[in-house]
Amino acid sequence: MSIQTPEETRVAARSSRAPGAPATSAPAAPAAPAAQPAHAAPAADRVGHVEQHGTEHVPASERHGRPSSLFWVWMSANVGYLYFVVGGVLMLLGLPLWEALAITVVGNLWWALVGWLAVSGPASGSPSVSIMRAMFGIRGNKVFGAGLGVLIGLFYEIINVAFATLGAIALLAQFGIGLPSGGEWVVLLVVGVLSFVIGVYGHATILALAPWFSAALAVVFVVLAVFVFGAADWTYEVAPMPVAEHWALVMLGFAIVASSPLSWGIGADYARYLPADVSKKAVAWYTALGGFVPAVLIGALGVIAGTAIDMTDPELTIGEIVPAWFTPIFLGMIVLSSITNNVLVAYSTGFYAQALAQRISRAATTIVTGIVATAAAGWVLFLSPSFLDALSASLELAVTVFGPLVSIYAIDIVLRRNRYDGAALDDTRPGGPFWYRGGVFLPGVVAMVAAITIAVLSANTTLYVGPISNALGGADLSAIVGPVLGAGIYAILWLTTSPYRDPAKRPGAASGSSVASASAEASAAIIETDAAASARTNGDPA
């Protein structure tokens, strides 16, 4: 199947209109649309076929699906070994059992924010990186949306491929299969292909496979839970410590747990195919619960396991509490969960990369970033293994970037009343609706720079301890101050600077004229979008 680039898609859309007809005009006598099942998938998004859409918005005629599918997508990516390790880290910090369990729950409440971001998908039909043009401007988004997204997405892809490869090599050893010289590179290549091929196929294939991945991984964790609970020390106690030191560890533990949900600023990517009139509550709840439920349950399992074994390296110590026959299954879970997590990471990193190179298709950018990540993982694993720990530790700082980004995104949805125009977001020309001034929207840029700076100064990671954290006895406030400052600064600047300081120019403001809708789904009420608000900003009639 051929893969259309966004430019080809836009050309095809223009050629389907009468010469000179504007993009928003409706035909004088529209033909009745062909009957189509409410949840039928369009040709551009079919299981087993490469998805044709990229960063451009999905037309209303191609919207389909149910919000419940989002639960399985997010669960498949989050039923993983990472949360088991994170739970163990809380115990290694020296926190009491019940306190560590409480932090696991509270830190993962940030999944509610991830769910809120997803509601912008059905509203616009666009992926998150395109929606971020509204927050940073066309040029600003290439740095603070797409640019940072590609960089950190590649880091996560490298880590996932590396750990899946290590798990696969250990699994082969369990079965007595020795690798010849260079055989480890073959394992890496297989893991790389499995990690990225599903992301290349895209949305429909991910949705179809997600329940199966979720079920397979969940079964392994249920069995693991039986062994963990059987070995748990429910009377586990820790040595008393000074109050200030204790609270510093509590905040550090919270930051570690919160870093996972705050790294998922891509909720719209998987919700954008849903019809625009779908329930926002359902979209938010299914997305949030898909991440929250496995994160809390598996994280709690890691906490409880920490009462029985040393969680410094659970791949080795897990054998103390599980029978020998379960060890290969445990290693297989590590491999599969790393790959399934990489499916979502690779899919969205492809969007980020396409936003930087719009003439290249999403499938092609997913392949390119996958090749880069796999090659980098091979270098890290086999040529410079000492760099793996440094790379993994550097990702602890990801929350200082994605925390402010996610919160700015969330408050922008509130400020705009979730009114995003997908067609306007596609317009990247100078003078377009989201060009603002010089292609940059200063409120978003200023809020990001300020919030990231303070968050970095407040962080406490393996490689770096910020001066604010150091002054507070090691307390890591980055997961709180970053998001709060980002949202607060952005909201203040959005309301007090051009163009939105004028209430009449804000999305949703009353317009002096009615706007005809060409969609059969349109309601009688006129919903003004940023495109109309931008027209008034430039002095044009709305």
Side-chain angles (χ1 to χ4, degrees):
M1 174 174 289
S2 63
I3 303 174
Q4 283 186 307
T5 67
E7 182 65 25
E8 291 170 338
T9 302
R10 286 190 287 270
V11 169
R14 286 195 295 268
S15 66
S16 66
R17 298 193 297 266
T24 55
S25 65
Q36 181 176 334
H39 301 286
D45 185 43
R46 290 184 294 166
V47 178
H49 294 73
V50 175
E51 179 188 354
Q52 298 298 295
H53 285 299
T55 55
E56 77 280 3
H57 78 288
V58 178
S61 60
E62 297 184 24
R63 305 289 193 90
H64 64 285
R66 298 179 175 88
S68 57
S69 64
L70 298 173
F71 176 82
W72 299 109
V73 170
W74 287 97
M75 186 173 179
S76 69
N78 289 284
V79 180
Y81 177 63
L82 171 64
Y83 295 109
F84 188 71
V85 173
V86 168
V89 168
L90 296 182
M91 302 304 285
L92 293 174
L93 290 177
L95 295 169
L97 171 62
W98 300 107
E99 204 166 83
L101 290 173
I103 291 172
T104 300
V105 175
V106 175
N108 279 300
L109 290 177
W110 280 116
W111 279 106
L113 200 61
V114 180
W116 176 243
L117 301 189
V119 304
S120 62
S124 63
S126 304
S128 292
V129 70
S130 296
I131 297 171
M132 290 177 192
R133 291 168 179 159
M135 301 153 217
F136 303 112
I138 302 302
R139 287 176 171 168
N141 188 53
K142 290 183 180 294
V143 176
F144 295 98
L148 289 175
V150 169
L151 181 62
I152 296 180
L154 281 172
F155 276 10
Y156 276 108
E157 288 180 1
I158 293 168
I159 291 297
N160 278 330
V161 171
F163 285 121
T165 300
L166 291 175
I169 293 173
L171 181 60
L172 291 174
Q174 281 286 319
F175 290 107
I177 302 175
L179 294 174
S181 177
E184 66 275 11
W185 288 93
V186 176
V187 175
L188 171 72
L189 180 62
V190 172
V191 168
V193 171
L194 293 176
S195 292
F196 299 107
V197 68
I198 298 173
V200 171
Y201 277 95
H203 178 265
T205 303
I206 292 174
L207 261 63
L209 294 177
W212 299 99
F213 288 145
S214 301
L217 292 168
V219 168
V220 175
F221 276 106
V222 168
V223 176
L224 177 62
V226 173
F227 299 128
V228 169
F229 275 76
D233 179 6
W234 299 102
T235 62
Y236 180 86
E237 293 184 1
V238 298
M241 64 184 75
V243 174
E245 181 181 347
H246 172 252
W247 278 106
L249 290 177
V250 168
M251 296 308 302
L252 178 58
F254 173 80
I256 292 172
V257 174
S259 64
S260 181
L262 285 176
S263 67
W264 291 104
I266 53 176
D269 295 3
Y270 311 98
R272 74 193 200 284
Y273 274 95
L274 294 174
D277 60 353
V278 75
S279 167
K280 290 193 293 291
K281 288 184 179 179
V283 170
W285 274 107
Y286 279 119
T287 297
L289 290 176
F292 178 82
V293 170
V296 168
L297 294 181
I298 298 172
L301 194 62
V303 169
I304 296 169
T307 67
I309 61 174
D310 181 2
M311 290 293 286
T312 303
D313 193 351
E315 289 183 52
L316 299 178
T317 57
I318 196 69
E320 299 175 16
I321 60 175
V322 302
W325 61 264
F326 187 75
T327 301
I329 298 175
F330 184 79
L331 292 172
M333 176 272 294
I334 294 175
V335 175
L336 181 59
S337 64
S338 297
I339 290 174
T340 55
N341 185 273
N342 234 12
V343 168
L344 264 65
V345 175
Y347 183 65
S348 292
T349 302
F351 281 128
Y352 283 127
Q354 190 189 21
L356 295 175
Q358 287 186 283
R359 293 184 179 276
I360 303 177
S361 71
R362 178 208 58 82
T365 56
T366 303
I367 292 171
V368 171
T369 55
I371 291 173
V372 172
T374 302
W379 178 73
V380 167
L381 283 174
F382 309 130
L383 301 179
S384 183
S386 61
F387 186 68
L388 181 59
D389 290 338
L391 180 63
S392 180
S394 68
L395 286 179
E396 297 173 25
L397 285 169
V399 68
T400 63
V401 174
F402 272 120
L405 180 62
V406 166
S407 68
I408 289 171
Y409 192 162
I411 199 65
D412 190 74
I413 295 174
V414 175
L415 293 168
R416 297 179 190 275
R417 305 180 188 180
N418 197 33
R419 289 171 178 173
Y420 296 98
D421 185 335
L425 289 165
D426 290 344
D427 186 355
T428 60
R429 299 168 302 175
F434 298 104
W435 187 255
Y436 298 112
R437 181 171 297 177
V440 174
F441 189 43
L442 281 179
V445 172
V446 171
M448 274 292 283
V449 171
I452 289 174
T453 300
I454 300 301
V456 168
L457 296 176
S458 305
N460 182 348
T461 70
T462 306
L463 298 178
Y464 163 83
V465 179
I468 295 177
S469 175
N470 193 49
L472 296 174
D476 188 330
L477 300 180
S478 61
I480 297 177
V481 298
V484 170
L485 280 177
I489 294 172
Y490 181 76
I492 292 172
L493 294 178
W494 194 94
L495 292 168
T496 57
T497 59
S498 178
Y500 302 121
R501 64 185 174 190
D502 182 353
K505 296 177 182 177
R506 296 172 187 169
S511 178
S513 60
S514 62
V515 180
S517 174
S519 171
E521 301 174 332
S523 63
I526 299 301
I527 300 178
E528 183 190 63
T529 63
D530 282 285
S534 177
R536 286 200 310 279
T537 301
N538 296 325
D540 300 330

